[in-house]
Every structure is written in structure tokens, then in C-alpha cells.
Amino acid sequence: MNVAQPSAPPLSPRLIARFRKIVGDKYALTDAADIAPYLTEERDLFHGRSPLVLRPRSTAEVSAICALASEHRIALVPQGGNTGLVGGQTPHNGEVIVSMRRMDAIREIDTASNTMACEAGVILQVAQRRAAEVDRLFPLSLGAEGSCTIGGNLSTNAGGTLGIITAATLKLFPKPRAIETAFVGLASPAQALKLLSLSQNEAAGTLTSFELAAEIAVDFSIRHGIDVRAPLDNRHPWYVLMEISSPRDDARATLEAILAKAMDDGIVDDAVIAANLSQRQAFWKLRDEMSAAQKPEGGSIKHDISVPVAAVPDFLEQADAAVRQLIPGSRPVPFGHLGDGNIHYNISQPIGADAADFLGRWHEVNAVVFDIVMRMGGSISAEHGIGVLKRDELLDVKDKTAIELMRAVKAMLDPLGIMNPGKVL
């Protein structure tokens, strides 16, 4: 997908040399083969172009890059782990890429204040591990945690359009003494909602994960994932992956009590609690493979939306009906974080359909899905951000005054319009 914006002015050899001097020859990439990995993203949906990738090592170098870019009105695109899914990190029109991956130092961990100061290029998984080493928890967890960066996380994975994050101080929490994980089969999202309410009441704040997935999403993971197996003996229309993290040693007893009551009340049809760390990791691997497992099934139109938690069952029912009416044979593959109403409402192409034709109806499908989302008081973007993928739709659903305020803030902080132009607004 190419995004039409004014092309960036060509960089002269002299100006490239000045940028190169800031970061050093080794960290200023101009060869097409070296630049190529920075121009595409995971879905292969967006393809960019850039004459130069800069890889600074310090805040001073980032500041010098920005000063030189401002002097010559050179547009910049900051990039972290390049895991974004809405095109926010892609140089669509020949901008200079500022890759933050070399700024990967954890500057300080203060266990007394429960904080960790780290640079923008620190991989999320590294931050999690370093926190665990000092008996603390950094609770953010994503499917891309092995490659996404803290800077990208803070800029909502959609492009930092107001400046470049070089470092941040993160809040840590006491490390749980016990974590227990269950994989649950049930009949419907409505039943999952009842299980969520029961779990929140019984777990007293220790319920830390509650993932909902349709049968087809689990099937795709099992079919296409590597070493992914079905946790339950029988198939179910819907599944929940839930986890309790407790500062005490009562997590398993709490989880067992929740599931026993849920079965007695007819909410849950089957469930298994992870017997060890390997089984817990297997449960999460099945969940983490759901996005990638759609690729072998052909074209996939994806939505990252949120609605009020209580509205999730109605949203799923209405969206499924509307999408199937619009494109007969299309296959909704919903999964997501029921606890905060965030659903990855993805739609795989009909079996045997032409992928390009299906993907050509992306915005048509968006309109149907987003209309339902807005009627329910939800948001067209949850954790993936706006980037360019939802830029045009944002104008349709966001209050005009809010858009004008966003533009005013952008103009105040980036008066030259060189910071990741064309993203969000």
C-alpha cells in the first residue's frame, strides 16, 4: 500500500555527509540493500522509500540530527522495532529514517522507588527480564515483545509525530509470587463475559489476563503455528485464556475455585490449568500465533477496535452478520483482550477468493465495522494507533474540535512539519 504525500526533497551528497558525521560512517546507511529492512513492515502492507537511515547512539546525536533536519527542512521518520501495524513507522515519501535501536541501554533500576530508566531502543522483553532480575514486574506484554521497543510502545506503535522519544522512566511493580494460567472452552462471548465478572469478583485484583478467542482463531494457530497444540480434548465455539498473578501463594486455589463455580453455574464447558511453566508458555504461544496464523489463509482485513466491555458480545454478533452480508463467505477471526474491550476483529478472505480483490475492499469493510463500533460508543483504534492506515477514517469519527486541537498542538511543536509528516493527521 502506497500513501500519497508530497515527496521529500532529494538529499545532496553534502547534506548526507553532514548527517553521516553526526552518527559516524558505520551508522549512516545509504546502500539500498542495507536500507531495505527499514522500508517494509510485518504485514507487507506498506512499502516505503528512503535515501538514508541514521542510527544514533545518544540523545545528543538525536538532537543534532533534528537541528540539521530543521535547518534544511528535511523530514524525519523515527523508528523503533518496526513492528507497527498501521504504517506509522514507514517512510512513505522519501523521508530520512532515524532508527533508535542502538539506544538500548537501561540506565538505572531503582527498587526503592520501583522505577526503571531505559532508552527508547530497549526491547520490551529485555525490560521485562531486567525487572524480573531484581524481583520486580514490568507488566506490559505484547505479541511482538521480543522485537518491539519501549520508544515504539510509548508512541503507541503508530509513529511519534511530535518529537523523538530517547528515553523514559517506567513504573515497576512487585513481582508476583505465584502465576496460574488456564485455558477455557465455552459457548459464547456472553458466557465469557459472565466468567470475566466472576473472576474479577473472586480474584480481588489479581486477575491479570483475560483473552477471548473464537474457535477459528484457535484453529488457525494450531493449523499453521509451529509446535502449537490444542489444550483441550474437545472443540468449543469460544475460548478464554486467563491468568491470575498473586503476591501470595494462593493463586492456584483461587483459579480452581473460580473455574469450579463457573462449571457449576454452566458458564464454562471445559478448562485446563497449566501444570508447569512449559504448559503455560504453550498456552500463550497459541494466543501469540493468532495474527501470524492468518497469513497462510490468504488476505486478511484487520481491525483493532474497542467497545465497552459489556457491549463486546453484541458487537461481535452484529459485526459478523454485517461483514458476511457484505462479503459472503468471509471468515471473521476475532480475538482480543475482553477485560478492556479491545478486540482484534480480523476477517480472512473467503476460501478460494482472490486476495487482491478481497484486500481491495478494505475501506468498504472498515466502514461497516466502524459504524457498529461508533454506535456502541467505542473507538476505531485501541492498541495499534492511527498511523496512516486509519488516518482518513479518524476525520470521520473524531469530534471536529478535537481534530482542530490536535492540529494546533502539532503545529506548535512541529511548525516546519518535518516530524513524521502525513501520519495521524
Side-chain angles (χ1 to χ4, degrees):
M1 181 181 292
N2 295 315
V3 178
Q5 287 285 324
S7 295
L11 285 180
S12 68
R14 179 175 173 274
L15 195 51
I16 289 177
R18 290 184 66 186
F19 277 119
R20 187 186 297 276
K21 186 175 181 181
I22 294 172
V23 298
D25 289 344
K26 184 178 179 181
Y27 302 111
L29 310 180
T30 56
D31 183 78
D34 294 333
I35 293 175
Y38 298 85
L39 304 181
T40 58
E41 39 74 53
E42 181 180 337
R43 294 181 188 170
D44 201 32
L45 192 62
F46 297 100
H47 301 87
R49 55 189 177 85
S50 176
L52 178 65
V53 175
L54 300 172
R55 304 183 65 214
R57 184 64 190 90
S58 67
T59 300
E61 290 182 3
V62 173
S63 180
I65 290 169
C66 291
L68 183 56
S70 296
E71 179 185 345
H72 294 274
R73 299 200 171 207
I74 302 300
L76 304 175
V77 173
Q79 192 178 101
N82 195 17
T83 62
L85 300 174
V86 292
Q89 80 279 23
T90 305
H92 298 288
N93 304 286
E95 301 93 340
V96 171
I97 297 173
V98 182
S99 172
M100 304 301 291
R101 297 183 198 176
R102 288 184 65 225
M103 291 191 64
D104 60 355
I106 293 181
R107 297 175 178 175
E108 180 187 32
I109 299 179
D110 184 346
T111 55
S113 61
N114 283 320
T115 59
M116 175 166 59
C118 59
E119 294 180 341
V122 172
I123 300 296
L124 173 56
Q125 198 170 67
V126 172
Q128 295 168 339
R129 184 174 67 246
R130 289 294 301 276
E133 289 172 358
V134 293
D135 205 33
R136 296 296 185 272
L137 172 71
F138 181 55
L140 180 63
S141 180
L142 306 171
E145 61 191 26
S147 53
C148 67
T149 63
I150 294 299
N153 299 149
L154 293 174
S155 62
T156 69
N157 220 6
T161 61
L162 304 178
I164 299 179
I165 296 170
T166 59
T169 299
L170 310 177
K171 181 174 177 57
L172 304 180
F173 296 85
K175 186 177 178 181
R177 291 184 60 182
I179 300 176
E180 296 292 343
T181 312
F183 201 87
V184 180
L186 28 71
S188 68
Q191 295 295 77
L193 198 58
K194 292 179 183 177
L195 177 62
L196 174 63
S197 179
L198 171 64
S199 301
Q200 290 172 330
N201 289 337
E202 298 295 326
T206 62
L207 180 69
T208 49
S209 297
F210 200 93
E211 300 286 302
L212 175 69
E215 180 181 25
I216 189 173
V218 172
D219 286 348
F220 282 2
S221 282
I222 294 170
R223 186 183 309 165
H224 302 297
I226 299 174
D227 294 328
V228 176
R229 296 177 176 82
L232 300 174
D233 292 334
N234 298 316
R235 295 163 61 95
H236 300 271
W238 290 87
Y239 297 91
V240 163
L241 173 59
M242 59 183 294
E243 195 161 80
I244 288 177
S245 305
S246 176
R248 302 176 297 275
D249 293 324
D250 59 351
R252 190 169 188 91
T254 300
L255 185 55
E256 288 175 345
I258 290 170
L259 293 175
K261 181 170 177 52
M263 287 185 175
D264 288 342
D265 293 346
I267 298 172
V268 167
D269 297 324
D270 196 8
V272 59
I273 298 177
N276 48 49
L277 178 60
S278 295
Q279 193 171 24
R280 173 179 179 252
Q281 291 172 336
F283 290 174
W284 279 108
K285 181 175 175 58
L286 187 154
R287 165 61 181 86
D288 292 340
E289 291 283 339
M290 286 180 182
S291 290
Q294 286 184 262
K295 290 183 180 180
E297 295 291 330
S300 178
I301 296 175
K302 299 178 182 289
H303 304 90
D304 169 54
I305 62 90
S306 65
V307 294
V309 174
V312 168
D314 286 341
F315 164 77
L316 291 169
E317 182 179 359
Q318 292 184 34
D320 284 0
V323 166
R324 287 174 174 141
Q325 182 178 5
L326 181 67
I327 305 179
S330 59
R331 297 173 291 166
V333 189
F335 57 90
H337 324 299
L338 183 59
D340 58 13
N342 175 201
I343 300 296
H344 302 293
Y345 189 74
N346 302 340
I347 303 142
S348 285
Q349 69 176 60
I351 295 173
D354 181 80
D357 289 345
F358 178 73
L359 293 175
R361 304 186 70 178
W362 189 291
H363 292 290
E364 190 180 352
V365 174
N366 281 175
V368 169
V369 173
F370 292 162
D371 180 64
I372 298 169
V373 169
M374 298 311 295
R375 288 204 315 266
M376 293 185 172
S379 170
I380 67 169
S381 178
E383 63 183 2
H384 293 168
I386 298 296
V388 294
L389 184 64
K390 300 179 183 179
R391 182 186 61 199
D392 296 337
E393 284 85 357
L394 181 67
L395 300 178
D396 295 329
V397 302
K398 199 72 173 177
D399 178 77
K400 185 177 294 186
T401 301
I403 292 291
E404 291 174 354
L405 180 60
M406 291 166 67
R407 285 179 170 150
V409 172
K410 171 71 171 173
M412 179 178 63
L413 297 179
D414 181 25
L416 300 179
I418 65 170
M419 188 58 62
N420 211 355
K423 312 296 170 57
V424 183
L425 296 171

